[in-house]
Amino acid sequence: MAGLDDKLAEIYDEVLRRNTGEAEFHQAVREVLTSLGPVVAKHPQYADSAVIRRLCEPERQIIFRVPWVDDTGTVQINRGFRVEFNSALGPYKGGLRFHPSVYLGIVKFLGFEQIFKNSLTGMPIGGGKGGSDFDPKGRSDGEVMRFCQAFMTELYRHIGEYTDVPAGDIGVGGREIGYLFGQYKRITNRYESGTLTGKGLTWGGSQVRTEATGYGTVYFTDEILRASGESFDGKRVTVSGSGNVAIYAIEKIHQLGGAVIACSDSDGYVVDDNGIDVELLKDVKQHRRARVAEYAELRGQGAHHVGTGSIWEVPCDIALPCATQNELDADDAAKLISNGCGIVAEGANMPCTPAAVRTLTDAGVAFAPGKAANAGGVATSALEMQQNASRDSWTFEHTEERLAEIMRGIHDRCLETADEYGLPGNYVAGANIAGFIQVADAMLALGVI
Ligand code: NDP
């Protein structure tokens, strides 16, 4: 199989056979295996001990019915998932996604990515992910609350500070985490703050957790710029999405002197020649729960909404895909290159297709994979767990400094590992190999379990 040596190709074939119809999971596994050839050549014990085969099989997969009653009194049925993928480094840790596209293959892709990402942070957290095919869009607060309560009524028995610690992801923000935590507390009769992260500041949350994924992606990008003696100053940046990750990426880019000239949602994108007004964007998306088209209307001159085509047509120096998986394909990559884009860093999970990644890296574009670039979110979740465990709360400045330090550490570890394996500047290989080795060594130490 192209790109994989015999042993790894055999493992990949087994993954295809045992997980039929789960295209995103196959893609995520293949992306990691493609980097592991040099590791297995240098350390055959990883292949011989079946550690890679074990890594590809989740430790536990939970699927459950979520019945709830909508505002018209009609009973609705959704499906809930939690995939507890790997706990060699610590309790399972990873977000919950509420989106109609969610099925087992999406949850497994995200859970698999999470293992390596969490390992890269250097924090004691394993990998997991969950969610539901519930669509919060257009639902009232009461409906979202009843859904979250029904979801937690099953999930609560599987999670806990030392077992599995969920957080947010697409469709799960502060409102949803509040309803989920409330129901967990009610059922268990225990105020176990460390069971969920992304909580509000008045009930066990951490400063900077809301901003962390977006800020962290920008810190990582800043390190890439620094490595070639550059900075964000004066750079034109395109950020896809307009949710949690995108909004705080935009905010931090502006603080560092860059200008974000476009962002999007699933109904199109907005171009704002004067730079996106992040406070207005927050008002539109977080408070009104409206669309980016409304941002363009409210912003007026200099901003316009485009309902068709791709945001990646907008010329920029740096592109940060921060919406969803496979949103940037090879054609988009070619457009970015021809418009002079020099850096692509993934704020979302796996937003670039494998062909897009090849197109970008072949053209010499610096490419940072999500498992490294967006690890700031889960790293700050681990800081939230740390504060909960010690019943402490840190200042914004202290927490942000910890986040920046962690992102610098991940960046340097990726480059050092890539160098060690003779692949200088290859962030993909560096992230996959560094993330893998730490988990694999822990698995070997813990025996066949
Ligand atoms: P949000 O729900 O806050 O925002 C998601 C954004 O992406 C929205 O603008 C949404 O538009 C857009 N989007 C979602 N699905 C699609 C689609 N199929 N096509 C086009 N646009 C789409 O989620 P987050 O910002 O939290 O997450 C964004 C990405 O970042 C995801 O890949 C997530 O896994 C990843 N991530 C998030 C972390 C976090 O801490 N939140 C941590 C690490 C990674 P619309 O409103 O139209 O759906």
Side-chain angles (χ1 to χ4, degrees):
M1 191 166 294
L4 294 180
D5 73 17
D6 287 351
K7 275 185 183 159
L8 294 170
E10 223 174 273
I11 294 171
Y12 185 61
D13 280 343
E14 189 180 332
V15 168
L16 293 181
R17 208 171 45 247
R18 291 167 64 90
N19 305 275
T20 44
E22 297 176 0
E24 297 82 0
F25 178 50
H26 303 162
Q27 183 182 335
V29 170
R30 191 182 170 107
E31 194 264 348
V32 171
L33 294 186
T34 306
S35 298
L36 297 186
V39 185
V40 172
K42 200 167 165 186
H43 308 284
Q45 73 268 26
Y46 294 132
D48 298 342
S49 61
V51 77
I52 302 175
R53 280 175 52 218
R54 274 193 282 153
L55 254 170
C56 294
E57 183 69 21
E59 290 176 14
R60 191 175 297 115
Q61 307 182 52
I62 302 148
I63 304 182
F64 51 99
R65 182 176 68 193
V66 189
W68 58 283
V69 180
D70 72 15
D71 284 348
T72 68
T74 307
V75 175
Q76 299 282 341
I77 308 291
N78 285 97
R79 189 170 286 177
F81 301 89
R82 187 72 184 167
V83 173
E84 298 180 334
F85 224 116
N86 193 292
S87 59
L89 297 181
Y92 310 105
K93 181 87 198 86
L96 297 170
R97 176 177 291 192
F98 292 168
H99 193 270
S101 63
V102 168
Y103 76 107
L104 188 59
I106 295 262
V107 182
K108 277 161 75 176
F109 122 62
L110 291 164
F112 186 75
E113 287 278 293
Q114 199 81 47
I115 302 170
F116 306 97
K117 180 189 306 193
N118 293 4
S119 163
L120 275 175
T121 65
M123 325 280 285
I125 42 180
K129 201 82 187 189
S132 173
D133 56 1
F134 171 71
D135 188 356
K137 233 179 279 170
R139 292 290 180 188
S140 69
D141 280 355
E143 290 178 316
V144 170
M145 181 180 76
R146 289 194 295 282
F147 173 80
C148 288
Q149 291 176 341
F151 185 85
M152 186 52 86
T153 299
E154 171 60 30
L155 187 70
Y156 88 96
R157 68 189 84 241
H158 306 291
I159 62 176
E161 184 182 347
Y162 298 103
T163 317
D164 184 354
V165 184
D169 190 78
I170 289 178
V172 179
R175 174 182 59 171
E176 290 75 16
I177 294 291
Y179 295 147
L180 290 164
F181 185 66
Q183 182 72 349
Y184 181 83
K185 188 175 80 64
R186 175 162 76 172
I187 295 174
T188 59
N189 194 30
R190 289 164 70 93
Y191 207 110
E192 284 177 16
S193 303
T195 297
L196 278 171
T197 59
K199 299 182 295 298
L201 292 177
T202 54
W203 41 279
S206 171
Q207 297 282 359
V208 195
R209 176 59 190 94
T210 306
E211 296 85 354
T213 309
Y215 277 21
T217 303
V218 175
Y219 282 131
F220 196 97
T221 311
D222 198 37
E223 290 302 311
I224 301 177
L225 286 161
R226 272 171 207 257
S228 50
E230 290 187 79
S231 76
F232 264 106
D233 209 20
K235 296 282 188 303
R236 287 166 66 86
V237 189
T238 299
V239 175
S240 65
S242 49
N244 171 271
V245 180
I247 284 175
Y248 293 101
I250 296 169
E251 184 166 279
K252 184 51 73 180
I253 291 164
H254 287 169
Q255 287 173 12
L256 296 183
V260 177
I261 36 108
C263 67
S264 64
D265 59 25
S266 52
D267 296 328
Y269 63 93
V270 63
V271 181
D272 188 340
D273 295 330
N274 299 316
I276 298 286
D277 177 339
V278 80
E279 293 309 319
L280 177 60
L281 186 64
K282 282 184 195 172
D283 184 47
V284 169
K285 298 300 294 191
Q286 297 177 333
H287 302 128
R288 300 168 191 237
R289 298 191 186 273
R291 318 297 301 154
V292 288
E294 194 168 314
Y295 168 92
E297 272 167 36
L298 291 166
R299 179 79 158 141
Q301 243 186 356
H304 65 279
H305 181 255
V306 184
T308 54
S310 158
I311 188 173
W312 310 117
E313 287 164 11
V314 180
C316 61
D317 304 306
I318 298 170
L320 303 186
C322 294
T324 193
Q325 65 276 355
N326 293 327
E327 55 158 312
L328 194 163
D329 64 18
D331 289 343
D332 297 322
K335 263 177 241 147
L336 285 170
I337 294 161
S338 67
N339 284 330
C341 175
I343 298 179
V344 175
E346 295 185 323
N349 285 314
M350 212 169 73
C352 298
T353 65
V357 177
R358 272 195 305 278
T359 307
L360 292 168
T361 48
D362 287 353
V365 172
F367 173 76
K371 62 171 75 68
N374 72 33
V378 74
T380 309
S381 275
L383 299 179
E384 183 173 333
M385 290 164 71
Q386 201 176 324
Q387 292 168 77
N388 292 152
S390 58
R391 304 199 184 282
D392 197 0
S393 56
W394 305 341
T395 63
F396 193 96
E397 292 70 26
H398 174 69
T399 318
E400 192 180 6
E401 185 41 45
R402 290 287 308 268
L403 168 65
E405 190 184 305
I406 291 166
M407 296 315 295
R408 281 194 294 272
I410 297 174
H411 174 270
D412 294 352
R413 214 164 138 208
C414 288
L415 283 190
E416 282 156 20
T417 308
D419 276 349
E420 190 186 328
Y421 282 84
L423 299 159
N426 187 332
Y427 287 101
V428 173
N432 284 336
I433 296 172
F436 167 78
I437 287 179
Q438 183 160 334
V439 182
D441 286 347
M443 288 174 72
L444 287 177
L446 298 180
V448 179
I449 54 170

